[in-house]
Amino acid sequence: MNKSLSLVSALVLAPMLSMAQWKYPETAKVNQVDNYHGTEVADPYRWLEDDRSAETAQWVKAQNTLTFDYLEKIPYRNALKKRIEQVFNYQKLSAPSRKGEWFYFYKNNGLQNQSVLYRQKGLNGAPEVVLDPNQLSPDGTTRLQSFVISKDGKYAAYTLSKGGSDWQDGYVMDLTTKTNLSEKIEWIKVSTISWQGNGFYYSRYPKPEGSALAAKNENHQVWFHRVGTSQSDDQLVYQDLKNLQRFHYLQVTEDEKFAILIVSDRGKGKEGNALFYKKAGQESFQPIVAEVDKFSYSVIDNIGDEFLIETNENAQNSKILRFNPANKSWKVVIPEKAEPLQGARTAGGKLFLSYLKDVTTRVYVHSMDGKLENEVKLPGLGTCSGFGGNADDKFVFYTFTSFTFPPTIYRYDIATKKSTVFTKPELSFDPSAFETKQIFYTSKDGTKVPMFITYKKGLQLNSQNPTLLYAYGGFNVSSLPAFSATLIPFLEQGGVYALANIRGGAEYGEKWHEAGMKLKKQNVYDDFIAAGEYLIAQKYCDNQHLALRGGSNGGLLVGAVINQRPELCKVAFPQVGVMDMLRYHKFTIGWNWSPEYGNSDDATDFKNLYQYSPLHNIKSVAYPATMVTTADHDDRVVPAHSFKYTAELQAKAGAVSSNPLLIRVDVNSGHGASNTAKSIEQTADIYAFLFYNMGFVPKKL
């Protein structure tokens, strides 16, 4: 690529009066032109990629000043925030997990910035605090990412992240005294923690050169740390210097008999992974699946010296096989079903399998040899998670939720096959005042796409209801029905919330995913557009009362759709989005997304990416009121994506659009809100921006 870095104007941030009377900060342009396979592409805001420069910091400050001055003038903004706090202020518990005689669980009293880790002896014991992340930083943005207990229950290895970053630091706690040992482990990222004997395995990168929040991450390594030693004494277990853009994870079976190494090569566009094992005491890993290809494999558990493995090899909805290392033989335990396999866990000598049927969970219990024993009767249609445990467990826990069903924890007795409520939240509002229905609408190419629509009972279909349409559509991720208290203030005002299960996700297995990736990515945008058109046709709203929202890959979705159909909606929220599709792979672990998007280094992929890249397809036409959101510690989708996109949006559309085109940059936060307070503040600002730009005045809050 040809690169010219000469400045064509000074980095002056004086206000500029646009034709539409919006005073956006002036953004300097540089004479940067790249050549992609014979096509020259200008990148005038390349300088905003430098997250450490004073000029970028000044630009962010000017943009935030404009945005927050605007938000502060919305008269009901604070009342919305207060109402969100009220409905969110209830006790939240996680399902317990057992280690010996202790049960560990997380609890948030309501508005705590971080959930607190507790334990108690037996189910009736007195809870005691194990670790309270709220005490670790003044602003409550240090997060407990993992807490893994050794087999003997003496120690725990845990990791913390700061300010929303994906980087983690590791520590070791003596669980007898609940105090830390002296060691600290740095530069952990994309890692499992797995104990074996007197230490644990973890994955890390070498210390990055340059910006820790933006530099490309390469050479993912597996290390072994022994309790009581320093990181400098850790043993390098595995690295691959010939393939620097591979991921390497290591997990240990419950009996600690085997270490399982997982290797993926997404940097080369491969969806699958290789799989290796090493028996305790052995020096080298032996292959189960020697080469990375298009199929994925994961070890669920071991049965003696054999492995239960979930795979999508020649089974788009996945199946479960049993592998014998002695003779390299494979046996089908659970064949592929018509519904996609969502999860496979073991506990109490049973195999628990969850499937998706029209985007709602079904759970079945099998013997370890695959025989179906029973279906777990769930409270209704919704989303279920849990069921994992120890081999000697007599009961397990699971959590069930749906849009109007708050997360409720159930205890499932393995012998009697019965579920009982273990704990459910006490709310200050009545979820039964709202209802959800699932519909199937038709996309551009005739595909039927499911969508959940939630609203207050008695809603009138008069086209005037503020409607928020959300979707993700990528990376084989399913958007499942789940309860969110922060939706309540929006629904109370007569708002309609729609969740579209567009292609690119895993709602109908790998075929649904493949229909929305790489050269078929336009299907995702067509599905989202058709969802908006359905809501308008059915009179939930009109285009002056429709808002689009999506985050990360969903931020890309919103950015692409408002380029293609700017008149479809009144308001848009592209959040932490992948907006520069030509350079995404040059930051942190962005190269990992190549199997999903393709890569601009390839001529065919470049042509496809260039056609829909949000940054490169902005038009000089009227756009919906748009509030881009990002954060200074987002080292997954670096904020430069949103910075460059906003600068281009304001420069082109800002001259002709009467709607505000703003960016909200959170501080000390990451790819998701780093604490409860920031999450509530952002949600209040989104609702305030939505209502205000629709000309909707909320009823008494």
Side-chain angles (χ1 to χ4, degrees):
M1 295 183 181
N2 299 321
K3 300 181 178 181
S4 173
L5 296 175
S6 60
L7 287 171
V8 296
S9 61
L11 300 176
V12 178
L13 297 174
M16 176 183 68
L17 186 64
S18 74
M19 290 173 59
Q21 305 302 304
W22 282 98
K23 294 182 180 181
Y24 297 115
E26 182 177 337
T27 307
K29 294 183 178 182
V30 297
N31 185 25
Q32 173 69 43
V33 178
D34 300 325
N35 190 303
Y36 294 89
H37 314 285
T39 300
E40 290 192 342
V41 179
D43 192 2
Y45 306 115
R46 178 72 59 84
W47 61 274
L48 284 170
E49 292 179 358
D50 186 355
D51 65 324
R52 298 181 298 170
S53 76
E55 292 84 2
T56 299
Q58 190 179 6
W59 184 88
V60 170
K61 182 179 179 181
Q63 292 286 350
N64 263 351
T65 297
L66 175 65
T67 297
F68 285 102
D69 282 351
Y70 176 87
L71 292 170
E72 286 168 5
K73 291 181 174 64
I74 299 176
Y76 40 79
R77 177 192 182 211
N78 289 333
L80 278 169
K81 178 185 173 186
K82 183 177 180 181
R83 181 56 184 154
I84 294 169
E85 288 176 338
Q86 289 172 343
V87 298
F88 196 77
N89 190 12
Y90 66 91
Q91 181 175 274
K92 305 165 190 71
L93 294 169
S94 73
S97 62
R98 183 178 68 86
K99 179 62 71 170
E101 61 183 347
W102 291 96
F103 285 87
Y104 288 79
F105 62 96
Y106 292 89
K107 182 175 74 169
N108 190 306
N109 289 334
L111 295 175
Q112 289 177 287
N113 276 318
Q114 306 293 337
S115 294
V116 180
L117 178 63
Y118 289 82
R119 71 177 181 182
Q120 62 188 51
K121 280 191 176 180
L123 291 179
N124 298 314
E128 60 182 48
V129 174
V130 178
L131 184 61
D132 183 358
N134 298 290
Q135 305 301 316
L136 300 179
S137 60
D139 61 356
T141 59
T142 295
R143 179 178 296 174
L144 177 60
Q145 295 284 28
S146 62
F147 192 91
V148 184
I149 302 170
S150 62
K151 185 174 177 62
D152 59 14
K154 291 183 179 180
Y155 300 102
Y158 69 94
T159 61
L160 302 174
S161 69
K162 297 179 180 179
S165 170
D166 282 344
W167 288 113
Q168 301 172 43
D169 292 329
Y171 304 88
V172 179
M173 178 182 288
D174 183 329
L175 290 174
T176 302
T177 60
K178 293 186 293 183
T179 57
N180 280 357
L181 303 185
S182 60
E183 56 252 53
K184 178 183 178 181
I185 304 166
E186 298 180 302
W187 305 115
I188 299 173
K189 186 184 264 195
V190 195
S191 179
T192 55
I193 302 291
S194 295
W195 283 89
Q196 190 173 49
N198 64 345
F200 56 89
Y201 298 94
Y202 67 96
S203 300
R204 57 158 293 186
Y205 285 102
K207 182 179 178 179
E209 297 181 5
S211 170
L213 296 177
K216 182 183 286 190
N217 301 146
E218 294 184 319
N219 191 17
H220 200 229
Q221 306 162 338
V222 177
W223 292 79
F224 183 79
H225 177 83
R226 286 182 174 80
V227 172
T229 65
S230 68
Q231 186 174 15
S232 61
D233 296 323
D234 288 356
Q235 174 189 355
L236 178 61
V237 175
Y238 193 87
Q239 67 174 342
D240 186 349
L241 296 177
K242 294 181 180 179
N243 296 281
L244 294 178
Q245 292 184 345
R246 285 187 168 185
F247 287 130
H248 308 108
Y249 320 87
L250 199 144
Q251 65 185 54
V252 176
T253 55
E254 182 185 341
D255 58 10
E256 297 194 356
K257 191 173 183 178
F258 295 98
I260 309 297
L261 176 67
I262 302 100
V263 179
S264 67
D265 200 0
R266 296 180 63 86
K268 291 186 177 178
K270 297 180 179 179
E271 277 283 285
N273 63 275
L275 200 62
F276 301 84
Y277 73 96
K278 183 174 70 171
K279 202 168 185 177
Q282 291 180 338
E283 289 294 324
S284 59
F285 288 95
Q286 303 298 315
I288 299 174
V289 178
E291 301 294 334
V292 182
D293 202 351
K294 60 182 178 179
F295 299 123
S296 62
Y297 309 84
S298 62
V299 173
I300 304 166
D301 205 344
N302 66 306
I303 304 174
D305 286 344
E306 299 184 11
F307 301 112
L308 275 181
I309 295 176
E310 178 185 346
T311 180
N312 64 355
E313 179 183 356
N314 301 318
Q316 288 196 327
N317 288 337
S318 294
K319 60 187 175 183
I320 295 176
L321 307 177
R322 184 163 170 166
F323 176 72
N324 185 334
N327 57 20
K328 309 296 183 183
S329 65
W330 294 83
K331 177 184 176 182
V332 176
V333 177
I334 306 289
E336 180 185 16
K337 294 182 62 174
E339 298 80 26
L341 179 62
Q342 182 187 20
R345 307 285 299 275
T346 59
K350 304 294 181 183
L351 180 59
F352 292 85
L353 303 180
S354 61
Y355 290 85
L356 283 184
K357 184 176 178 59
D358 288 334
V359 206
T360 57
T361 308
R362 307 292 190 277
V363 179
Y364 303 92
V365 184
H366 295 255
S367 64
M368 294 294 279
D369 61 6
K371 181 181 178 182
L372 175 63
E373 296 188 351
N374 63 285
E375 180 180 357
V376 178
K377 300 299 181 184
L378 300 177
L381 298 179
T383 303
C384 189
S385 61
F387 291 103
N390 307 301
D392 60 347
D393 281 339
K394 304 299 181 185
F395 54 86
V396 292
F397 296 95
Y398 67 89
T399 302
F400 180 84
T401 184
S402 192
F403 291 106
T404 59
F405 197 105
T408 301
I409 300 170
Y410 291 82
R411 170 176 165 170
Y412 176 80
D413 187 274
I414 295 174
T416 65
K417 305 175 182 178
K418 292 182 179 180
S419 297
T420 54
V421 174
F422 181 72
T423 182
K424 61 181 180 180
E426 295 183 4
L427 306 175
S428 60
F429 54 92
D430 182 11
S432 67
F434 311 96
E435 60 182 311
T436 297
K437 69 177 181 179
Q438 185 184 39
I439 61 91
F440 292 81
Y441 65 91
T442 304
S443 191
K444 182 178 180 180
D445 63 357
T447 299
K448 293 292 185 181
V449 181
M451 178 163 60
F452 293 99
I453 307 174
T454 303
Y455 46 85
K456 192 174 183 179
K457 289 179 178 177
L459 178 80
Q460 293 184 5
L461 299 180
N462 57 11
S463 299
Q464 302 299 300
N465 305 298
T467 300
L468 182 57
L469 172 60
Y470 176 89
Y472 184 76
F475 291 94
N476 209 26
V477 173
S478 298
S479 297
L480 304 177
F483 181 79
S484 174
T486 58
L487 269 178
I488 298 301
F490 176 71
L491 298 174
E492 287 175 334
Q493 295 298 323
V496 175
Y497 177 73
L499 172 64
N501 298 108
I502 61 181
R503 283 173 284 186
E507 287 87 346
Y508 291 99
E510 182 59 25
K511 63 181 179 181
W512 198 249
H513 174 218
E514 290 179 350
M517 60 187 292
K518 283 195 170 181
L519 301 181
K520 298 179 181 178
K521 197 68 179 175
Q522 184 59 41
N523 286 336
V524 177
Y525 311 136
D526 291 341
D527 288 356
F528 199 47
I529 291 168
E533 291 174 337
Y534 174 90
L535 293 166
I536 292 170
Q538 298 300 312
K539 300 188 181 302
Y540 286 96
C541 60
D542 56 23
N543 68 344
Q544 296 301 299
H545 292 85
L546 177 62
L548 307 181
R549 182 181 183 184
S552 194
N553 178 74
L556 157 64
L557 168 69
V558 174
V561 165
I562 62 174
N563 281 341
Q564 295 179 16
R565 291 286 302 277
E567 83 293 345
L568 178 65
C569 64
K570 178 62 177 177
V571 182
F573 299 104
Q575 299 186 254
V576 292
V578 188
M579 311 308 257
D580 184 348
M581 298 308 298
L582 304 186
R583 288 178 57 78
Y584 74 82
H585 57 292
K586 296 183 179 294
F587 305 99
T588 64
I589 59 170
W591 47 263
N592 169 54
W593 312 329
S594 294
E596 186 74 17
Y597 299 136
N599 189 301
S600 61
D601 294 338
D602 176 88
T604 301
D605 287 344
F606 161 72
K607 183 179 180 181
N608 182 55
L609 293 167
Y610 196 37
Q611 286 178 341
Y612 71 76
S613 176
L615 173 64
H616 300 96
N617 289 277
I618 295 170
K619 306 169 186 175
S620 295
V621 300
Y623 269 67
T626 302
M627 186 165 72
V628 181
T629 70
T630 187
D632 62 349
H633 277 62
D634 189 347
D635 48 1
R636 195 175 311 172
V637 180
V638 294
H641 281 278
S642 294
F643 294 170
K644 292 165 65 176
Y645 171 80
T646 301
E648 183 78 354
L649 187 67
Q650 291 176 347
K652 284 189 175 178
V656 295
S657 180
S658 61
N659 294 316
L661 307 171
L662 306 176
I663 183 170
R664 183 187 188 278
V665 185
D666 212 343
V667 177
N668 222 20
S669 201
H671 197 57
S674 56
N675 64 23
T676 296
K678 289 181 180 295
S679 177
I680 290 173
E681 289 167 2
Q682 184 184 84
T683 302
D685 286 349
I686 286 173
Y687 291 163
F689 188 88
L690 182 154
F691 286 144
Y692 193 65
N693 281 282
M694 289 183 182
F696 180 88
V697 180
K699 304 177 184 68
K700 184 177 179 181
L701 288 162

